[in-house]
Amino acid sequence: SDLQKQEEQGELLQPLIFVLLVLCSVLLYFKVSLMDPGFVKSEEEAEAGNGEEQSMVIPHVPSTVKMRRCGYCMVKQPMRARHCQLCQHCVRRYDHHCPWIENCVGERNHPLFIAYLSVQLVVLLWGGHVAWSGLYFEQSWDWLQHNIFLLMSFFLIVIFTIVVLLLLISHLYLISCNTTTWEFMSHHRISYLRHSELENPFDQGVILNLWRFFC
């Protein structure tokens, strides 16, 4: 492969960058998996942490829509929070429970989740290029026996690349609209969206939505 040739020639910059990217993606994976996604711990913390966001939304939401108490946690749910049955916690700005990381994606770890997907996509694309550069096709059984592992790796990388790319694109689209996966999928069931004057009361334009999310 290209990386192997560069390593044999003593050109270690690109192999080192590739290894560092892989290491970065692994560290981001564990960070996103193990960190608090934004659990609602008490009424005081929830109200203090979401006061600014709620005051921004109230003009577009009828006053009849109130903060409700979670039937599982018995805490007052801030707007956009939801109880996760798997984590057994209410999560602020709940997006979804990700089986890849075995954790919720919420207010605190959502930006890092996007960073993880981005780094992972770069690693997969580069890994796919490396695997392809090591393949020299010949119509013989011996060639297939010597290259079967590399060939399978390439096809697996292609599949995972498509999955990660679609996931990243969908999340970036939702972020640009200032909505979450849960709100997008369950719009008709959520009181503060169902009774809102606007289809999405949180949308403040693409630039401001991205700025608020990442910065």
Side-chain angles (χ1 to χ4, degrees), residues 1 123-137 143 147-162:
S1 66
V123 170
L124 285 167
L125 288 171
W126 197 347
H129 170 72
V130 170
W132 182 260
S133 69
L135 289 172
Y136 298 94
F137 294 97
W143 177 89
N147 290 273
I148 186 66
F149 178 75
L150 194 58
L151 201 58
M152 289 176 62
S153 298
F154 176 74
F155 283 121
L156 280 174
I157 289 172
V158 169
I159 293 169
F160 283 123
T161 300
I162 293 171

Side-chain angles (χ1 to χ4, degrees), residues 23 36 50 70 72 78 89 111 125 141 144 166 185:
L23 181 62
D36 177 357
N50 292 272
C70 176
Y72 300 95
H89 284 286
L125 288 171
W141 179 248
L144 184 61
L166 292 176
M185 300 295 291

Side-chain angles (χ1 to χ4, degrees), residues 135-204:
L135 289 172
Y136 298 94
F137 294 97
E138 295 178 7
Q139 293 183 348
S140 67
W141 179 248
D142 288 338
W143 177 89
L144 184 61
Q145 283 184 316
H146 285 93
N147 290 273
I148 186 66
F149 178 75
L150 194 58
L151 201 58
M152 289 176 62
S153 298
F154 176 74
F155 283 121
L156 280 174
I157 289 172
V158 169
I159 293 169
F160 283 123
T161 300
I162 293 171
V163 171
V164 172
L165 179 62
L166 292 176
L167 192 58
L168 181 60
I169 290 173
S170 65
H171 272 274
L172 289 175
Y173 168 75
L174 293 175
I175 291 165
S176 69
C177 301
N178 198 358
T179 189
T180 64
T181 303
W182 173 57
E183 290 170 343
F184 182 78
M185 300 295 291
S186 306
H187 188 280
H188 61 287
R189 292 165 45 202
I190 302 172
S191 59
Y192 60 80
L193 294 178
R194 191 172 67 246
H195 298 113
S196 172
E197 299 171 4
L198 304 174
E199 185 176 352
N200 180 10
F202 305 101
D203 188 6
Q204 294 186 302

Side-chain angles (χ1 to χ4, degrees), residues 79-99:
M79 197 172 287
R80 311 192 80 178
R82 183 177 186 263
H83 183 85
C84 176
Q85 297 281 10
L86 297 172
C87 292
Q88 294 298 309
H89 284 286
C90 286
V91 180
R92 292 194 199 99
R93 202 181 181 279
Y94 175 87
D95 189 88
H96 70 289
H97 184 92
C98 181

